[in-house]
Amino acid sequence: MENKNTLENVVALCKRRGIIFQNSEIYGGMGGFFDYGPVGVEMLNNLKRYWWKDIVDKRENVVGIDGTIITHPKVWEASGHIENFGDEVVECKKCHQRFRPEDIEEKCPSCGNTEFTEPRSYNLLFKTEVGVIEGSKTTAYLRGEACQNIYLDFKNVVDSTRQQVPFGIAQIGKAFRNEVTPGKLTFRSREFEQWDLQFFVHPNDMEKWFEYWKDERMKFYKGLYRKHENLRFYQHPKEKLVFYAKDAFDIEYLAPWGWAENEGIHWRGDYDLTQHMKFSGTDLTYTDPITNEKFVPNIVETSGGVTRTFLYLLLDAYEEEDLGEGNSRTVLKINKDIAAYKAAIFPLVGNKEEIVTKAREVFDILSDGFKVVWDGRGNIGKRYRYQDEIGTPYCITVDYETLENNTVTVRDRDSMKQERIKIEDLDEYIS
Ligand code: ATP
């Protein structure tokens, strides 16, 4: 069961152990902007590789791209973001804080007042300017969703690769939304990352591929998190679907504040390519090389939040364990593929040269194949506690016995069991 304080504890852990920092903290911070620390950046990179491997590397019918954050401003007209990408905002008449109507239950969450202004709509896109000469600058936007690049590059990918419909284009990248109520650490931020797959299919095959990706994406999240009971599908009610969608599902995660979106699986039909054809005047129809049939490919989209998944992962992994006799530990039982370091290398003592040298050798051998970390500071118990808190699966101690028989102590994060392993077998043990 989730502890009510899990979010607070995870926030504290993130700062204490260099996972996530408030951006510009020395200036008092900026709501909705975060930096990843030395441990967090390793985990975040591992998480992105984990997705890329699953979506791109292991499939013959998906290729990747990496697009820009600023695109032609017409993209956002075509996508509807300039007209419709908004939230409703109400303002508390007493403390003047602004909220989304769905985030208030009668009373102002900040001051308890019950009077608000009428809801006004508010566009989430961040504006910027391109060009240097005053008067001839063009208004542009930081992308409000990363996936638009995929539609823009669709024709280039078809023309430059061996892919044929059905195939997918994948991308991981930043998105920016001037959210009214950023909060819950990185759950709702103003700068965040998304992973998107747009899978292009023949219109007659939509049903089949929609089901396929729905299953694949749930399998993916089940492979990532420990607590599968915290995952579910939420089907959007038919009356709330946009006109081009026959179906839509969210994969939701049970956060300490309730079920919340993790990823959307969307039936986009031919809407995106048709819109971009209309606004750009460029033909984006596809000609089947075998049948010569011309059609606008339909799209199954899977669009999830990388940084949001990362937060859910921390919540999923966080444990406080009672070890008896007044002892306890905090441990991050995070997926071993995502852990910042696969192993920590400890020289038992820092003042015995042979031990330190031997530990360096172990570090050098292992760091060829894995990300490992060195810790020669303080007593072993404290080093274990530190590595537990950042989720390092194995702690390897080089001691006096190592000098005699080339074995080391390997301690497992989850079971806390210790084993003697030969140095030459470590590689295999860890993988
Ligand atoms: P929500 O309803 O939570 O605002 P959304 O429906 O607007 O999300 P999409 O536009 O479908 O989200 O974006 C795809 C994914 O991007 C979401 O499932 C979520 O994981 C992530 N995401 C969206 N907005 C944010 C944000 N402000 N901060 C972090 N992640 C976000």
Side-chain angles (χ1 to χ4, degrees), residues 309-367:
T309 300
F310 184 46
L311 173 62
Y312 291 157
L313 254 182
L314 296 176
L315 295 165
D316 182 73
Y318 185 92
E319 296 281 351
E320 282 171 14
E321 287 181 350
D322 185 354
L323 304 177
E325 295 169 10
N327 292 320
S328 66
R329 68 163 183 164
T330 297
V331 53
L332 212 51
K333 292 189 172 169
I334 196 163
N335 187 313
K336 291 180 183 173
D337 288 330
I338 312 300
Y341 311 108
K342 294 294 162 275
I345 319 293
F346 304 160
L348 180 68
V349 286
N351 54 6
K352 177 117 177 114
E353 208 183 311
E354 290 122 291
I355 286 188
V356 175
T357 308
K358 196 77 193 165
R360 281 260 162 247
E361 261 173 47
V362 173
F363 184 93
D364 289 343
I365 295 169
L366 290 182
S367 61

Side-chain angles (χ1 to χ4, degrees), residues 85 100 144-145 177 179 186-194 196 250-251 260-264 266 301 303-309 312:
F85 191 47
R100 303 190 314 165
E145 58 182 23
R177 295 182 189 178
E179 298 279 1
T186 53
F187 169 74
R188 191 173 300 290
S189 1
R190 290 179 166 137
E191 175 172 342
F192 57 98
E193 250 176 322
Q194 294 183 309
D196 286 291
D250 290 342
I251 293 179
E261 182 173 332
N262 196 156
E263 168 158 321
H266 300 131
E301 168 185 75
S303 177
V306 183
T307 41
R308 187 177 288 184
T309 300
Y312 291 157

Side-chain angles (χ1 to χ4, degrees), residues 90 92 101-109 112-116:
V90 294
C92 168
E102 57 265 43
D103 290 339
I104 45 176
E105 289 167 17
E106 287 175 30
K107 287 186 178 156
C108 170
N113 180 42
T114 51
E115 280 188 284
F116 298 91

Side-chain angles (χ1 to χ4, degrees), residues 218-252:
M218 185 54 106
K219 256 194 257 162
F220 171 88
Y221 285 106
K222 285 191 171 162
L224 195 57
Y225 301 127
R226 291 192 302 151
K227 300 173 186 162
H228 294 178
E229 67 279 15
N230 288 352
L231 277 167
R232 74 172 186 193
F233 280 118
Y234 164 77
Q235 184 172 23
H236 290 223
K238 291 279 178 243
E239 64 278 10
K240 290 216 170 145
L241 293 176
V242 281
F243 69 90
Y244 51 79
K246 279 221 185 113
D247 215 343
F249 282 86
D250 290 342
I251 293 179
E252 292 190 328

Side-chain angles (χ1 to χ4, degrees), residues 38 69 79 111 117 231 253-254 264 286 315 323 334 357 374 396:
I69 282 162
S79 69
C111 73
T117 60
L231 277 167
Y253 186 81
L254 184 57
Y286 174 83
L315 295 165
L323 304 177
I334 196 163
T357 308
W374 176 269
I396 298 170

